[in-house]
Amino acid sequence: ENDLSSKRRNKIVSLAKEDFRHMSIIGQFNHGFILARCRNNNLWILDQHACDEKFNYERLCETTSIHEQRLMAPMPLELTPSEEECILDNMLLFEENGFRFSYNKAKPPRHRLALISLPHSGAPDGKKAVQYGKEDVSHLCSLLGADGISYGDAGSGFGSGVDGSGLYGNNAVRRYAGDISSSQMSSKKLSQESNGSAGPSTTQGDHGDKNHKKNGGQSGSGRKLITFLPKSIAMFASRACRGSIMIGTPLSQKEMETVVERLANVDHPWNCPHGRPTMRHVRDLMQTLIDDVKQAEAHVGGPTLAQVSLSQPTQSDAASAEEKESSDDQQTV
């Protein structure tokens, strides 16, 4: 068992984001995949669509502003005490997600907040618009660690559709948001312990994904992060997918280099937002390169073959030979 475990450890191949800057492009396979060799002489195959999609997705998360739709009248909310405190502690984050509230301290707890604006995103005709409601306030509170759900089901809005609808159990976007939520809770707990506070903390820890942008945390590349609702994540993922390089598109050498090098600036380049792997390891090329060098050395150091003409002599060649023989006979006489 120890020998088997040792062999498995020796087979582990590591790849860092910085390695994408130094990859040598070998070529394109089947108009859908890029073959590249890293500086450790490992061969990788990269999905050109998934790689471009992940770059576009993170760019959308970083630069897209969610529009607000002002309500004609404030929408009263009945929140749990934890949710109400969560909103007050993270008001800027809710505003960046498109939610705005009015606050009336004269009202009893749980009823002091009312919605005055909701997020709105989609086509002007509304056909592809993503609909938001007061249940999304509870969902965002749950992502930030608030206890209890006042409205709706905790699993709604986590689907695979453009608006987060779809099958709850088999959706990569849902798992993506769930992992981020767990990371936030761990970061919040550490922050509370370091500050000696038992209450909610507005300080968020670092995480690699864009779901923390602008919320006090930073990504691995130094960009600020924010927490987005799962249906917003699904919307960004759908837009990034439609605007990315498709399978079947031939790429030039320069275009392939751009796709690969940009992965160095992506926080999590290993999967697209739908869960599709961006790359796979093919094999270690070191032994192949060594064998090629040995064969080249053997070819250079080996015997050289002389080229011998096996063609039949022509009539002009025979006549020249006879003239030469007669000339030699005359000189002899």
Side-chain angles (χ1 to χ4, degrees), residues 6-225:
S6 178
K7 290 181 179 179
R8 287 177 178 175
R9 284 195 300 269
N10 293 335
K11 291 182 179 179
I12 295 176
V13 178
S14 61
L15 183 69
K17 289 197 295 182
E18 184 63 25
D19 293 333
F20 293 116
R21 304 183 192 275
H22 308 284
M23 279 191 170
S24 301
I25 303 300
I26 296 176
Q28 188 182 29
F29 171 70
N30 204 28
H31 286 176
F33 302 91
I34 300 172
L35 292 171
R37 177 167 60 91
C38 68
R39 51 187 173 182
N40 295 326
N41 292 314
N42 285 296
L43 179 62
W44 299 86
I45 184 168
L46 298 94
D47 186 323
Q48 64 187 37
H49 174 73
C51 292
D52 194 42
E53 180 185 2
K54 190 56 181 288
F55 173 81
N56 291 331
Y57 164 77
E58 294 198 1
R59 180 176 53 84
L60 284 173
C61 287
E62 184 181 358
T63 59
T64 302
S65 297
I66 298 180
H67 300 290
E68 300 176 10
Q69 183 176 11
R70 192 82 176 183
L71 302 180
M72 297 182 64
M75 182 185 297
L77 296 175
E78 184 177 355
L79 306 168
T80 67
S82 178
E83 287 176 338
E84 189 173 76
E85 187 176 8
C86 178
I87 294 173
L88 293 175
D89 287 344
N90 298 278
M91 188 63 73
L92 178 61
L93 185 146
F94 279 87
E95 291 177 355
E96 289 173 337
N97 273 270
F99 298 98
R100 288 192 180 272
F101 304 88
S102 63
Y103 178 75
N104 188 348
K105 63 179 180 181
K107 290 188 176 182
R110 301 179 57 199
H111 300 274
R112 295 172 177 171
L113 291 170
L115 274 171
I116 59 175
S117 292
L118 283 173
H120 173 75
S121 182
D125 56 6
K127 292 182 178 180
K128 295 184 179 180
V130 179
Q131 301 297 326
Y132 294 86
K134 55 187 179 181
E135 66 277 0
D136 294 306
V137 175
S138 293
H139 295 158
L140 189 52
C141 287
S142 68
L143 287 176
L144 295 171
D147 298 328
I149 295 293
S150 299
Y151 302 98
D153 178 16
S156 63
F158 284 76
S160 56
V162 66
D163 61 347
S165 62
L167 187 61
Y168 172 73
N170 297 322
N171 175 45
V173 175
R174 177 192 64 81
R175 295 194 300 270
Y176 187 75
D179 293 343
I180 293 166
S181 177
S182 300
S183 174
Q184 283 183 312
M185 289 304 301
S186 300
S187 301
K188 178 177 287 189
K189 183 177 179 182
L190 290 174
S191 176
Q192 292 172 357
E193 291 175 352
S194 62
N195 295 331
S197 172
S201 172
T202 58
T203 303
Q204 299 294 330
D206 295 345
H207 192 274
D209 275 294
K210 289 293 171 294
N211 276 33
H212 296 261
K213 182 170 69 72
K214 302 178 185 175
N215 191 30
Q218 285 189 337
S219 68
S221 57
R223 295 187 292 268
K224 296 188 72 177
L225 307 174

